Structure formats: C-alpha cells, structure tokens
Amino acid sequence: MGDPDSEDLEQREGLGQWEQAGGWQELTVDEAAAGERLDRWLSQALGEAVSRSRVQALIRAGAVRCGDAPVTEPKHKVAAGERYALEVPEAAPAEPLPEPIPLDILYEDRDLVVVNKPAGLVVHPAPGNWSGTLVNALLHHCGETLSGIGGVRRPGIVHRLDRDTSGVMVVAKTDLAHRALSEAFADHGRSGDLERAYDALVWGAPDRLSGTIDAPLGRHAQSRTLRAVVPEGRSDARHAVTRYQVKKRFGSDGRGGAFAALVECRLETGRTHQIRVHMAHIGHPLIGDQDYGRAFRTKVNRLPDEVRPTVAAFHRQALHARLLAFRHPVSGELMRFEAPPPADMKALTRALDIL
C-alpha cells in the first residue's frame, strides 16, 4: 500500500505521533504501549491504513527498524521510549494487465465497485485464463483509484461467481474495504446484513414450494474441478446450506409434476458450485449445466417444437445472481443491488412459458 493518508497518521491515544523522516514514518513508543507486540502496536498505530498481516510482512522484509537496526520478528516486544521507523513501499503493479473490457457498473465509490458480471467472464486470472477476466477489466477501469490490496495495486475479490453464472458482484478497491467485506462474506450474513439471492431455472420442480438443503460438499470422486455431496465425516467435507423457494412452474411432465421451474436460491454458506450441486442433489439440476445436469439432457427431446431449439441451445447453467445486499465497509450504510436476468435467461424463460 502507498503512504498512508495524513488523516490516518494523526495521533492515536496511547500510541504517539507519526513523523516523516526521509521517506520513513517514525513513531516513539508511549508508556501505555510498553510490552506490546511490535506487529500489533504498529497496526494499531497505523489504524486502518495498513492491515496487520501487511505489517507482519513488512517487518519480516526488514522495512521496520529501531534506531539503526532492522527488527524482523513480529513478536518482538516494544519498550517505552523506543523509536521505530517504518517504510511502507508504494503499491507494486499488479501482475495481470489492464484490459479495456466493457463493464456494467451498478455503483462505484472510493472504496468499492459493484458490477453486473455477464456470463462467460472469468473473475480472476488463472492457468488457461490469464487475460480477458474481470480483474483485467477492473484494473483498466479503476486505474490509480486502486490504493493497493496487501501492497499490490489490484482489485480485492471477496466472492466469486462461476464463469457461466451472471449477476451482481462487489469488489474492494482498498485494503480496508477488502478486509471488512471479506469478513462479512466469510460470516455469510449470520451476524450482519449480507444477503444473496440467485434465480435458477431447473429441470422439474421440488415437491415443496420452499425448503432447505443442508448437505456437506467435498471433492468429486472423478474430477478435481467438480464438487459433490459427501458424508459429513469425510476429511474434505464442508458445511453447506442452501434455502430455496419455487417462484414459478412450467408445463407438466405427465406424472403430476412440472417440466421445469424458476427457483430462487439463497445461500447460508458459500461453497464452490453450491447451488448447482445442491439442486442436482435433490433431483432438479440447473438447465444447461454441462457438469451436474448431463443426465437430464435427453429431456430436451420431449419438449414441443417451438420450445426445443431455445432450450437445446442454452449451454451454460441457468443461474443468475439477482440480488446482493451488504453494509458499506466504511459508511456502514446498507447497500442493496439487483440486476435483471440477462437476455439469454429471459429468452429461456419465455420459451418455457409456452409449456
């Protein structure tokens, strides 16, 4: 992260006063801080300017000194009257390169940006997708307004959507926003105001109009990139809970059930492929899901001629992150964003309406 803002270097009770000294920030230990761990004392002194993990990394890198000697142990205990100097380097350029990829920006301020991600856009660079990602697009869009996440000038990804899932995402622009939003998403809204709602078009329809799927997820037996419902006691099992509500049923399967349904899913946990695996687990995989809905592809052949081409041509999971609500990490304001379904899901819904 770059040099902390002047407002973050004002005197903090019991910690002293930061002073500039040849590119270094210097601070004398007060009596009240004597015996404190160096990393804890420095992170408190810096306030929200630099995270504690970042302070620890700077200490180990030799960027903190007492007098003329570097101190490289974060657990080092400070003594009253000692004078420490800290050099926080400018944010290094991010490894991904900025790319002028169009973005649908729903909201933006100095701390965060909310986007409506289209299907087909990978969120983060990875092997096989080093360019053309949301991160590349945000690096170009945000530019110098990114203050550096963990010392690197980059957008802070706090949650993800699969490549072929569309919808609302929030991305942090500052270290403070990244930490606060990461904590909120890790808590899954249990003690806060985080709310996530997804619209899914599924094969068939659950017998009950609403319900809860509580089934742990782990590695798929045949593929390291896929997930599956696994026994609770397995070493890789992760607690996963999805609440669903049937919003609309389409047609009849000839056995008293619907041919397809529009289902709203709300997450109580945030596991990889959670909605897709859970809906398949209860016998209603997402239309178009090439990984978890393969056994249902032949159902397309039973559709009327005026419906079949649209459904057969839908080659991604029919999943859209429609709603995202959270507390702003700085102002505390409750933020709420909704994005209508994209054109392909609208077309799929219109075709199913014919049933």
Side-chain angles (χ1 to χ4, degrees):
M1 198 171 198
D3 290 337
D5 295 337
S6 58
E7 64 183 5
D8 291 318
L9 298 180
E10 294 176 357
Q11 183 171 340
R12 296 169 60 81
E13 184 177 355
L15 293 171
Q17 175 71 44
W18 283 103
E19 298 176 5
Q20 296 280 352
W24 292 66
Q25 306 291 335
E26 294 191 351
L27 183 66
T28 301
V29 181
D30 288 344
E31 290 285 347
E36 190 71 83
R37 279 177 53 133
L38 176 61
D39 58 346
R40 178 178 172 82
W41 174 69
L42 281 177
S43 63
Q44 288 178 331
L46 287 165
E48 298 172 339
V50 182
S51 68
R52 186 169 174 179
S53 61
R54 177 64 173 147
V55 168
Q56 291 172 341
L58 290 169
I59 293 171
R60 294 189 180 100
V64 177
R65 66 190 186 194
C66 182
D68 294 328
V71 183
T72 58
E73 176 51 62
K75 295 180 181 180
H76 172 80
K77 299 297 178 62
V78 302
E82 287 181 333
R83 190 169 183 81
Y84 288 84
L86 168 67
E87 183 179 40
V88 183
E90 290 293 331
E95 292 182 7
L97 297 176
E99 296 180 42
I101 300 169
L103 290 172
D104 182 3
I105 303 294
L106 302 180
Y107 174 83
E108 183 175 11
D109 60 24
R110 62 175 290 178
D111 302 296
L112 54 85
V113 56
V114 180
V115 302
N116 181 17
K117 187 189 86 69
L121 182 64
V122 175
V123 170
H124 201 279
N129 291 290
W130 290 115
S131 63
T133 72
L134 177 62
V135 167
N136 297 108
L138 287 169
L139 284 169
H140 180 271
H141 172 79
C142 298
E144 294 301 311
T145 66
L146 294 172
S147 67
I149 305 298
V152 180
R153 198 179 300 282
R154 65 186 179 196
I157 303 300
V158 297
H159 69 124
R160 301 176 189 236
L161 297 177
D162 293 343
R163 178 214 302 258
D164 289 329
T165 298
S166 57
V168 186
M169 283 188 63
V170 60
V171 180
K173 295 171 64 176
T174 68
D175 220 349
L176 169 61
H178 185 245
R179 282 182 281 136
L181 288 171
S182 294
E183 290 173 2
F185 275 85
D187 184 62
H188 306 299
R190 286 187 290 267
S191 59
D193 296 293
L194 182 68
E195 183 181 4
R196 290 176 289 175
Y198 295 71
D199 283 343
L201 289 164
V202 305
W203 290 114
D207 294 333
R208 299 172 56 190
L209 289 179
S210 63
T212 299
I213 308 169
D214 186 344
L217 301 183
R219 295 184 302 273
H220 193 281
Q222 281 79 45
S223 174
R224 65 180 183 84
T225 63
L226 300 183
R227 297 295 183 269
V229 170
V230 299
E232 188 172 349
R234 212 171 85 170
S235 61
D236 65 321
R238 297 294 180 267
H239 181 58
V241 179
T242 303
R243 290 184 288 116
Y244 71 85
Q245 181 175 6
V246 178
K247 300 172 71 174
K248 189 172 186 177
R249 297 170 183 263
F250 302 100
S252 172
D253 62 3
R255 297 187 298 273
F259 207 95
L262 173 63
V263 177
E264 179 185 88
C265 295
R266 291 178 178 259
L267 299 177
E268 291 188 14
T269 56
R271 307 304 180 192
T272 300
H273 300 176
Q274 179 174 317
I275 292 174
R276 299 166 61 192
V277 178
H278 270 175
M279 294 310 297
H281 177 64
I282 64 171
H284 304 288
L286 275 59
I287 293 174
D289 195 327
Q290 305 299 305
D291 295 317
Y292 303 106
R294 291 184 179 181
F296 282 69
R297 285 185 295 185
T298 57
K299 290 177 70 72
V300 174
N301 299 328
R302 296 169 51 195
L303 293 170
D305 291 343
E306 61 269 36
V307 178
R308 189 184 309 119
T310 302
V311 179
F314 202 89
H315 292 306
R316 71 172 181 94
Q317 62 266 13
L319 185 62
H320 175 67
R322 175 178 53 82
L323 167 68
L324 177 63
F326 56 90
R327 287 282 174 187
H328 193 283
V330 176
S331 71
E333 178 186 358
L334 182 61
M335 315 289 286
R336 188 181 181 89
F337 301 95
E338 290 196 55
D344 62 347
M345 280 191 66
K346 287 182 179 178
L348 180 60
T349 302
R350 286 195 299 269
L352 294 173
D353 267 328
I354 299 174
L355 295 174

